[in-house]
Amino acid sequence: PIDYRGIIALKTVIDLQHFEKAAQKLNITQSAVTQRIKTLEKSFGEPLLIRSLPYKATKLGEVLLNHQRRVEFLEGSLYEKVEIERLKAKFSIAINHDALETWLMETIVGIPAFQTFHLEVITEDQELTLDLLENARVLACISTNHKRMSGCDSAFLGEFEYVLVCSSQFKEKYFKNDRSLKDNLLDSPYLSFNYKDQLNQIYMARMFNCELNADNTHIIPSVKGFREMTLAGFGWALIPRIDIVDCLADGRLIILESTKTWRMPLYWHYWQLPDRKYQRLNQLFIEKAQKRLHLK
């Protein structure tokens, strides 16, 4: 193999016209500079440096120096290409639909550094996003799971509040005053985002210690559609408070039980990669999201 340390020592001596200055620049001893050039000459079997001032390369030495210049040019081009590719790198995030269509995009737009990446947002149930990170499908995710994976960091972002709501027309049609809220909920239709959505089931188990009838639901895989179907009286639903502030204020939707809101903890998980730009971007996102979610 070519001894590039020897070629660099040769080039530095010729450039600076001084062995001691060459040693200082290379951060080695003067004898080490001499030894590197001698070792290089030994490997090629002939002198490479004319050892009288001004120092010059021999014919073969000049061939090696020209080769070194091409190597340096190629390295510069390589680093430039790497930087270009870095700028084109894809930043994949796994999140749930509610976060995407309520607070997440406003947070991302507020961080100009995201524009240096090609952003890819993958939507999945909040209980499953961590699987995508573990399988290296994404670089970061939002999850309700606080457990930190090996090779990853995590940060608590805040709590996402869901409220139990329906339209006044729906309540008049399905809810009987002589029955408990639990029984009324069990016997009336409700809305689910998709078949993976377990929020309603988890909510009922935690708040009322019961299980919903899975056949008594409307599947609406759209955050906007979910809200509109609730407004139209198709069923009761758990909806992020942040998404229905106006609807609650003007009475189009009513909260069925104000003491039984669901506060979902959200965590940002991301790989421990050495890239400073990636690490900085994660920290910026965490800070912005915590403010957006009113972390206390």
Side-chain angles (χ1 to χ4, degrees):
I2 298 176
D3 180 9
Y4 284 99
R5 294 195 311 167
I7 299 177
I8 292 172
L10 175 65
K11 179 178 183 297
T12 307
V13 168
I14 294 174
D15 287 345
L16 299 179
Q17 289 293 300
H18 205 286
F19 273 83
E20 185 177 349
K21 290 181 180 178
Q24 292 174 353
K25 182 176 181 179
L26 297 175
N27 199 28
I28 57 177
T29 64
Q30 183 174 334
S31 60
V33 172
T34 301
Q35 186 59 45
R36 287 184 183 183
I37 295 175
K38 286 183 176 180
T39 300
L40 185 66
E41 289 176 327
K42 184 177 180 181
S43 68
F44 282 94
E46 62 179 90
L48 302 173
L49 176 67
I50 299 174
R51 288 169 170 78
S52 60
L53 290 174
Y55 296 127
K56 294 181 180 179
T58 63
K59 188 174 182 179
L60 178 58
E62 193 60 43
V63 171
L64 294 178
L65 292 179
N66 286 335
H67 173 75
Q68 176 63 26
R69 295 185 187 101
R70 288 194 294 271
V71 168
E72 290 175 355
F73 175 79
L74 290 173
E75 285 182 347
S77 298
L78 175 61
Y79 284 123
E80 183 177 348
K81 290 178 181 178
V82 167
E83 185 59 28
I84 290 173
E85 289 304 313
R86 190 190 304 276
L87 293 175
K88 294 181 179 179
K90 182 185 292 184
F91 196 114
S92 300
I93 306 171
I95 60 170
N96 68 340
H97 286 83
D98 285 336
L100 174 64
E101 299 194 37
T102 52
W103 63 271
L104 183 102
M105 294 314 300
E106 181 179 333
T107 303
I108 288 178
V109 169
I111 304 175
F114 268 111
Q115 296 183 22
T116 63
F117 291 88
H118 288 318
L119 186 63
E120 178 186 29
V121 176
I122 298 174
T123 52
E124 184 55 276
D125 186 84
Q126 60 271 2
E127 306 297 329
L128 304 175
T129 53
L130 204 57
D131 293 338
L132 295 174
L133 183 69
E134 186 175 15
N135 295 327
R137 177 65 182 83
V138 296
L139 291 177
C141 76
I142 293 175
S143 172
T144 56
N145 193 330
H146 71 280
K147 186 177 180 180
R148 181 180 298 179
M149 290 194 324
S150 176
C152 292
D153 282 326
S154 65
F156 178 56
L157 299 179
E159 293 179 327
F160 199 47
E161 184 183 18
Y162 287 81
V163 288
L164 182 66
V165 298
C166 70
S167 67
S168 57
Q169 298 90 336
F170 178 87
K171 185 177 180 180
E172 290 177 7
K173 180 178 180 180
Y174 288 98
F175 284 33
K176 310 301 180 183
N177 292 330
D178 59 345
R179 304 186 71 197
S180 67
L181 176 60
K182 171 183 173 180
D183 290 335
N184 280 325
L185 290 171
L186 289 174
D187 290 340
S188 57
Y190 63 95
L191 273 63
S192 298
F193 194 83
N194 54 39
Y195 289 105
K196 296 179 182 179
D197 183 10
Q198 294 297 308
L199 180 59
N200 293 318
Q201 295 287 4
I202 295 173
Y203 177 85
M204 293 299 289
R206 297 276 182 88
M207 299 296 183
F208 299 101
N209 193 29
C210 63
E211 184 176 340
L212 285 170
N213 179 359
D215 295 327
N216 200 20
T217 186
H218 299 288
I219 304 296
I220 314 296
S222 161
V223 172
K224 180 180 179 181
F226 205 84
R227 182 177 62 250
E228 295 303 317
M229 293 289 279
T230 307
L231 285 165
F234 276 76
W236 59 264
L238 284 164
I239 301 180
R241 184 188 291 271
I242 194 176
D243 193 36
I244 53 172
V245 173
D246 293 341
C247 298
L248 294 174
D250 60 22
R252 285 179 292 159
L253 288 178
I254 57 176
I255 297 177
L256 291 170
E257 179 51 81
S258 59
T259 64
K260 295 185 183 298
T261 61
W262 180 261
R263 302 184 72 86
M264 179 185 292
L266 296 179
Y267 298 85
W268 180 252
H269 296 262
Y270 58 102
W271 286 102
Q272 294 172 339
L273 301 178
D275 187 280
R276 291 184 179 179
K277 188 168 74 169
Y278 167 79
Q279 292 293 337
R280 178 57 180 159
L281 187 58
N282 278 288
Q283 292 305 314
L284 286 171
F285 178 84
I286 291 167
E287 293 169 9
K288 290 279 188 180
Q290 288 176 340
K291 291 179 181 179
R292 189 71 178 88
L293 293 172
H294 307 292
L295 178 63
K296 296 181 180 179

